[in-house]
Amino acid sequence: MKRREFMTGLGAAAMTLSSAAEAQKSSMPVIGSLNRPSAGTETFAEAFRRGLKQMRFVEGQNISIVGRWPNANEELRDAAAELVRRRVALIFTADNGGALAAKATTSDIPIVFVVGLDPVAMGLASSINRPGGNATGVAFQASALEPKRFELLHALLPHTSLVAALINPDNPNANVTALRSAASSSGLQLLILEARNLAELETAFARSVEHRASALLVTSDRLFNLERRRVVDLAARSAMPAMYPWRDFADAGGLMSYGNSLTDAFRQGGIYAGRILSGDRPADLPIWQPTRFEFVINLKVAKTLNLEIPPGLLAFADEVIE
């Protein structure tokens, strides 16, 4: 074969391979992610991908993921509608509002959610065991653990009387009456600190110092979760012993945490996404509810606060960070 003919044949072969690769890529199922960017050593997005991998789905190989979150001039439903127009195979969201927007936008495309409210009360599913529609996922009610968190704080500081609680008043989970009742059951008075944004976080911690609160309970909220390093830093600057809802806070330098694992919830979301892409119907997949709780103590932080952790608390801890 002449060189020119060989090169022509090689070029044609390369074009054929390229076309095949493009065709394969375009035929991959696409997951639409309706989520804000996350931060941390192991991001929640990475945990979601680990769950997908357990179901033999790897981004870039046999699955594609496109992210969408509304900008300042859009609504969540607009972002969800764009994913629907792109004909994604599945929508994944770990936002209460995002789940509602996706559900209101499509009744055909499967939805996998991670929410902190009751999905049945939200209208996302008919029941926990048989969701019955196009949406399923993970649900945990973090506020149900507040009494135990106050109990653990009181065990750490038995002579404490005033404890502050950081809440986002725009969060439906922020039930001040329930928080006061939970604090009272441990013999504690409660100072409510409100924060809707980063600027108000600064003000909230300044108020806790001004009122001489002896400790702080941080409630579960997307702002606090995403900005956990900032929250932890503010607690350190205020020399405030704090209890957090997730171990990710303790890993970031928080004193104590009691709750479920958020990374595990995202991993389970990835598993459910993989199961649906493999043929399972969301209507038949029971909504997963965490049953295991982790109590984590960061001894390094305790030392900086000159706190002696009672032996009973250390024995109760699932993990001690030294």
Side-chain angles (χ1 to χ4, degrees):
M1 180 184 294
K2 295 180 180 179
R3 175 178 173 81
R4 186 172 182 178
E5 293 174 341
F6 174 77
M7 293 303 294
T8 302
L10 184 62
M15 289 180 63
T16 302
L17 289 173
S18 176
S19 299
E22 287 299 320
Q24 180 183 5
K25 185 176 180 181
S26 64
S27 65
M28 286 183 187
V30 177
I31 294 177
S33 175
L34 191 60
N35 294 289
R36 291 185 180 95
S38 61
T41 51
E42 181 193 26
T43 66
F44 301 142
E46 288 169 352
F48 177 72
R49 288 182 176 90
R50 284 198 296 115
L52 279 171
K53 191 174 182 180
Q54 285 183 240
M55 300 305 299
R56 303 181 184 277
F57 287 98
V58 178
E59 186 179 12
Q61 293 183 15
N62 59 355
I63 191 73
S64 176
I65 301 176
V66 296
R68 191 66 176 85
W69 189 258
N71 59 42
N73 299 317
E74 293 179 307
E75 298 290 339
L76 272 168
R77 284 199 185 187
D78 295 331
E82 182 180 326
L83 293 176
V84 171
R85 285 194 297 270
R86 294 187 68 161
R87 297 182 180 179
V88 297
L90 179 145
I91 295 176
F92 171 69
T93 181
D95 182 270
N96 292 331
L100 291 172
K103 182 67 174 175
T105 305
T106 179
S107 58
D108 300 318
I109 296 175
I111 300 166
V112 174
F113 54 73
V114 176
V115 295
L117 298 174
D118 181 349
V120 177
M122 292 173 71
L124 295 174
S126 298
S127 70
I128 296 295
N129 291 330
R130 291 187 65 84
N134 65 320
T136 188
V138 180
F140 43 78
Q141 297 188 52
S143 58
L145 301 179
E146 304 299 18
K148 186 64 178 181
R149 295 187 181 111
F150 279 118
E151 179 187 325
L152 293 169
L153 263 182
H154 192 248
L156 173 67
L157 303 165
H159 303 297
T160 291
S161 58
L162 180 63
V163 171
L166 181 65
I167 70 167
N168 183 342
D170 293 339
N171 188 331
N173 272 333
N175 188 326
V176 174
T177 301
L179 278 171
R180 292 195 185 281
S181 175
S184 178
S185 65
S186 290
L188 299 169
Q189 295 180 335
L190 197 61
L191 170 68
I192 297 295
L193 306 174
E194 297 185 353
R196 298 176 179 84
N197 51 52
L198 289 177
E200 291 184 358
L201 272 176
E202 298 269 357
T203 304
F205 276 89
R207 281 194 66 224
S208 70
V209 174
E210 178 187 347
H211 286 78
R212 298 183 179 182
S214 300
L216 172 70
L217 181 139
V218 177
T219 62
S220 178
D221 179 78
R222 190 167 185 84
L223 170 66
F224 307 154
N225 298 343
L226 290 174
E227 298 294 339
R228 57 188 174 277
R229 292 191 184 279
R230 183 65 178 153
V231 173
V232 164
D233 288 344
L234 286 169
R237 271 174 31 188
S238 306
M240 182 73 67
M243 165 64 78
Y244 301 96
W246 315 108
R247 72 154 296 143
D248 308 82
F249 285 89
D251 289 336
L255 176 62
M256 299 192 303
S257 68
Y258 182 75
N260 310 113
S261 168
L262 279 178
T263 52
D264 195 44
F266 274 73
R267 182 185 62 82
Q268 184 65 37
I271 290 173
Y272 264 24
R275 288 185 61 177
I276 291 170
L277 292 174
S278 296
D280 285 350
R281 298 171 63 244
D284 301 327
L285 288 176
I287 293 168
W288 190 75
Q289 295 179 296
T291 57
R292 189 171 68 88
F293 310 106
E294 295 179 311
F295 178 41
V296 181
I297 300 174
N298 192 321
L299 278 186
K300 293 187 293 185
V301 178
K303 289 177 183 177
T304 64
L305 294 170
N306 294 317
L307 286 175
E308 188 73 29
I309 305 295
L313 269 188
L314 286 174
F316 182 67
D318 296 281
E319 184 173 344
V320 175
I321 301 173
E322 300 191 39

